[in-house]
Amino acid sequence: MASITIDGVNKIFGKTPALKDISLEIRDGEFMVLLGPSGCGKTTLLRCVAGLEQVNGGRVKIGERDVTDLAPRDRNIAMVFQSYAVFPHMTVGGNIGFGLRMKRRPKPEIEKRVREGAELLGLVPFLDRYPAQLSGGQRQRVAVARALVMDAPVLLMDEPLSNLDALLRLQARADLKRLHKEVKRTTIYVTHDQVEAMSMGDRIAVMREGAIEQLGAPMEIYNNPASQFVGGFIGSPPMNFLRGAIRDGSFAGDGFDVPITRMRGDLQGREMVLGVRAEHITIAGEGIPAHVMVVEPLGSHALVTVLVGKTPVKVQAPIDVAVRPDQAINLHFDEATLRWMDAGTGSAIQR
Amino acid sequence: MRARTERFLPFALLLPSIGFLGLLIVIPMVQALLLAVMAEGGGLSAENFQRMFADVNFSDAWRNTLLLLILIVPLQLVLALCMALLINSRFRGHGFFLYIYAIPLAISDLAAGILWLAVFTERGYLNSTLQNAGVITQPILFLSFDNLGGILTAIVIAESWRATAIVLIILIAGLQLIPRDFFEAADLFGANRLRRTVHVVLPLLRPSLQSALIIRTIFAFQTFAVVFALAGRNMPVLAGEAYTWYATNRNEHIAAAYAVLLLGLTIVATVVYLRVLGLREAEVQR
């Protein structure tokens, strides 16, 4: 088993910096998710750990071993590719055992471990089939099995679920989480899907423009986003933001005035952004005036989109909520749940 | 009306190429077949084939054609494969090498033959270079009729130079069709360069290898212009015999018999390649 140390890694494509001085410590056996929008550098960072990209600066260590200058095959890692990269000219069994054959393990050992890998992922009936005869979900499992039988202490996954349909993705997500509990490999998992990140990660590194914007446990990131970007990226629906300024015990902006009891004195008059989650807003008899735009019943609850001033705000309401579009209502914010960001930089402010 | 148009449109679009193939390939082929099985006076006969097999040059032509095929095709394949893998590794300046390698593609085979004649002939570039360098005092007769090894070597070099590029182009196209991920997965799962090539790249390249081999084998059976330019009549080959019987001996029937023999050999080779290198049904991605 092994930890992974990424120390000041830089990567430049042509003149575009893809990774800016990234440092990240991944603990032994940890499931680390790299999360961010496309182009944020998450896949590049993973490929730098894999050795499929050369870093332009910084070091990568696996355990105590500096692997920065080693070829991928010498790093003792396994990887699941986004496209799966399951070889079409080999059977399922041939694919699962590929890495072991390349490492020239004895035949009986290969057979035994291919069998174990196939059992772990429910692929035993398909061992003699070719990938073209499998469904997308089965091919994805072949890719996972091929990586797991390697017994490499480090497992890298590059959006392994993005090519599956929604229902299958839900199933595969739970399967991968169960597998991780069983095999306890140190895992780096790249995704742009914040639900995947929340549900699977021990910790999440939220990336933006080649840098890590926030690193933390899923609920920590959800509850205390380090910036407006993170709050807007994590959670479905994303966090609501209202722009305004603190004046005489209340936070006021276009069309609203929220009474605030506790706030650092030096923030008086400063332009700020208030962040509030949909589930922390209640529809009340009095409070902030809002105009209902859309009501979406979602089974377990209803999602109500309202306008506060000119800003759309999403409110999570009970499914039997009695509001209709064009109705004027009032919202109540629980002060303890409110988050504050600087209006200019977007970074979080402690009050 | 619309359904009708849609049904006939594909055929209409195929018509020009069918017409082209029919006019330039199918009709001459049928004519050659008829010529080959018709006696000079008319009527069906095996006489032309009997005369062809009995001809003094036939066994030499047969041996030389197969010899050239066996020497040239594997050599070209290996050369082209190495060059293609080299270019596909995308080292700095790989585009430049591709252009250099592809230059012979633009040169006709007879011109290529004459060009290499200028190299290998008694007062050619090779002899004068060697003499100027003081390696030899007398010119070597590379292409003398009693120096079969020399002629063969010259032809193999000239043919390889001339026609390896077409194999190269086919293989590069094939390599570029293989997703990058497969190379990376092989690297990551412990394959070194050689094992990656043997276990992943070559099997995935089978369709292109198949096309390249079929094309090269067909052309190797038809090898003629380069041989003619370098060896004249000293080295008879099957396609050359067809030409000689037609142009010099003025016997189109026996020329046609040679052509039919070549057609038969080509078909046999193609079927073998299709069988041996074809993808299994199960491997074909839907």
Side-chain angles (χ1 to χ4, degrees), chain B residues 84-95:
Chain B
L85 288 171
L86 189 69
I87 285 173
N88 203 49
S89 71
R90 314 234 171 129
F91 63 95
R92 213 172 236 286
H94 67 272

Side-chain angles (χ1 to χ4, degrees), chain A residues 6 18 22 27 33 39-40 44 46 60 103 131 140 153 265 269 295 337:
Chain A
I6 297 162
I22 289 200
R27 298 174 198 128
V33 177
C40 72
T44 305
L46 186 83
V60 177
K103 299 222 150 144
Q140 189 261 345
V295 181
T337 65

Side-chain angles (χ1 to χ4, degrees), chain B:
Chain B
M1 187 59 209
R2 195 173 156 180
R4 212 170 199 201
T5 317
E6 272 175 19
R7 218 165 64 214
F8 288 113
L9 188 64
F11 295 102
L13 290 174
L14 281 174
L15 217 56
S17 36
I18 290 174
F20 181 82
L21 287 174
L23 204 67
L24 296 176
I25 308 273
V26 178
I27 293 177
M29 208 163 80
V30 173
Q31 279 178 334
L33 269 171
L34 289 176
L35 277 173
V37 296
M38 260 192 315
E40 254 166 280
L44 285 178
S45 155
E47 185 195 325
N48 298 320
F49 286 97
Q50 280 160 0
R51 281 187 65 188
M52 174 179 82
F53 289 129
D55 185 65
V56 281
N57 282 329
F58 178 79
S59 64
D60 278 353
W62 173 255
R63 187 202 60 199
N64 291 338
T65 303
L66 287 191
L67 202 59
L68 286 176
L69 180 93
I70 289 165
L71 288 175
I72 292 171
V73 174
L75 183 69
Q76 282 185 334
L77 195 70
V78 171
L79 269 179
L81 195 61
C82 293
M83 284 148 72
L85 288 171
L86 189 69
I87 285 173
N88 203 49
S89 71
R90 314 234 171 129
F91 63 95
R92 213 172 236 286
H94 67 272
F96 175 72
F97 277 83
L98 181 57
Y99 285 119
I100 296 285
Y101 288 158
I103 286 175
L105 268 184
I107 296 171
S108 89
D109 46 358
L110 190 58
I114 291 168
L115 205 136
W116 282 96
L117 183 65
V119 174
F120 287 115
T121 192
E122 191 182 345
R123 307 222 168 273
Y125 293 118
L126 185 56
N127 272 323
S128 50
T129 308
L130 289 176
Q131 267 178 308
N132 289 344
V135 181
I136 51 171
T137 48
Q138 286 293 309
I140 299 169
L141 299 177
F142 295 106
L143 302 175
S144 157
F145 70 97
D146 55 2
N147 185 0
L148 188 66
I151 294 179
L152 213 55
T153 310
I155 292 172
V156 169
I157 292 174
E159 263 297 284
S160 303
W161 177 81
R162 183 186 72 78
T164 299
I166 183 74
V167 183
L168 174 72
I169 300 293
I170 294 171
L171 293 186
I172 286 181
L175 280 173
Q176 286 173 349
L177 280 179
I178 301 175
R180 241 28 207 160
D181 282 3
F182 287 135
F183 290 82
E184 293 182 346
D187 282 347
L188 207 111
F189 285 101
N192 58 28
R193 220 149 217 274
L194 180 67
R195 283 164 75 72
R196 183 179 84 181
T197 305
V198 171
H199 291 276
V200 177
V201 179
L202 287 183
L204 291 175
L205 202 57
R206 259 181 303 160
S208 308
L209 286 171
Q210 192 181 20
S211 315
L213 271 174
I214 289 172
I215 288 177
R216 267 318 299 157
T217 306
I218 290 173
F219 286 141
F221 276 129
Q222 296 172 2
T223 312
F224 168 45
V226 169
V227 178
F228 211 65
L230 285 172
R233 293 282 291 140
N234 289 336
M235 181 139 192
V237 287
L238 290 176
E241 287 309 291
Y243 171 78
T244 308
W245 275 100
Y246 187 82
T248 314
N249 301 354
R250 310 236 167 221
N251 187 330
E252 54 185 16
H253 292 277
I254 293 178
Y258 272 104
V260 169
L261 175 68
L262 282 173
L263 178 65
L265 289 172
T266 306
I267 289 172
V268 170
T270 305
V271 169
V272 169
Y273 286 138
L274 287 177
R275 283 280 162 82
V276 175
L277 287 169
L279 294 179
R280 276 158 291 203
E281 176 101 28
E283 288 178 66
V284 180
Q285 294 280 348
R286 276 162 295 180

